Amino acid sequence: MADATQFHDRMLSLGLARVSEAAAVASAKLVGRGDEKAADQAAVNAMRDQLNLLDISGVVVIGEGERDEAPMLFIGEEVGNGNGPAVDIALDPLEGTTLTAKDMPNALTVIAMGPRGSMLHAPDVYMDKLAIGPGYAPDTVTLDMSPAERVRALAAAKGCDASDITVCMLERPRHQDMIAEVRETGAAIRLITDGDVAGVIHCAESEITGIDMYMGSGGAPEGVLAASALKCMGGQIYGRLLFRNDDERARATRAGITDFDRVYTRDELVTADVIFAATGVTDGSIVRGLKREPGWVTTETLLMRSKTGSVRRMVYRTPIND
Ligand code: VTB
Ligand code: MG
Ligand code: MG
């Protein structure tokens, strides 16, 4: 039955890499083809098929949506072959469907796994997010600070000027004031059109990516996935659910959430050690995107375990027939 030893089986993490690889390979022929739905569907199907081969008794806690809106990998769906530890699964088979359809950077397939009960059952609403990389004291920046205060606080902690800081944000009209306030400090902003899981991960590799801090609102499910990654890489993330109407509050209630104003830390979003895998679909600064040659596809996967802090990068080349 489910015990920590079984969950920490070192082979299981390798199995997780195969799941994210399979989703990426399945979306290969749809990169840059302008059809987000087809790309997403291909990734979902492949991810589910591979997941069901794993020796786990898994439950999807972060998935494609509630049962009535997602035929596969819906929240609450049982996955795995049942011969293994009881685990929670958070996934996004194609994080960045539009990025994939347009062949723009940083589309990923993403999956995280932890012991049963280890992940916040975040409803599909927005989350206000704030993230920085490893090496800073807790609460160096907080959600309660204004955007400008966050920049100044991070610059002070880093021992640099505000103008040396780069903040990543989703380019959305709702972030207009935040953008203006951050620019006022002299900091730079890397605007992204989609993909804030990658945006947050980029904070943990600031020397490579040039990004020091992520802020702004995006999907709450993506917040839990990003927290899983930072639990492995180091770094802090804070998240607060945002509700636009009663339907969204009802979703949260159904997911077991009672305090609607709560700020979750990384270790409250993800409360136990997890395994995280992400495969590049389009090129990014953390992992390379899919490379196609006639008859073949090559992927790069980032596979991490928070228990040990280990990070693997795996290149995988496989024949494809389409
Ligand atoms: C967010 C973000 C995701 O889609 O969910 C975004 O977290 C949708 O935001 O990374 P809008 O509703 O403002 O368009 C992604 O960018 C891609 O799934
Ligand atoms: Mg998705
Ligand atoms: Mg997504």
Side-chain angles (χ1 to χ4, degrees), residues 95 125-131 143 150 170 178 196-197 200 214-224 226 237-240 242:
E95 159 59 357
V125 299
Y126 284 104
M127 178 183 270
D128 194 12
K129 306 174 197 181
L130 174 63
L143 273 180
R150 296 168 187 172
L170 279 171
M178 194 176 259
D196 69 0
V197 175
V200 170
Y214 181 87
M215 66 173 83
S217 61
E222 280 86 350
V224 176
I237 178 168
Y238 298 92
R240 185 196 283 124
L242 298 171

Side-chain angles (χ1 to χ4, degrees), residues 94-97 99-100 104-109 198 279-283 287 289:
L94 193 52
E95 159 59 357
T97 54
L99 299 175
T100 303
M104 289 167 65
N106 289 313
L108 300 171
T109 67
T279 303
V281 173
T282 57
D283 270 335
V287 277

Side-chain angles (χ1 to χ4, degrees), residues 40 44 63-64 91-97 222:
D40 200 28
V44 169
E64 288 297 281
L91 52 83
D92 197 342
L94 193 52
E95 159 59 357
T97 54
E222 280 86 350

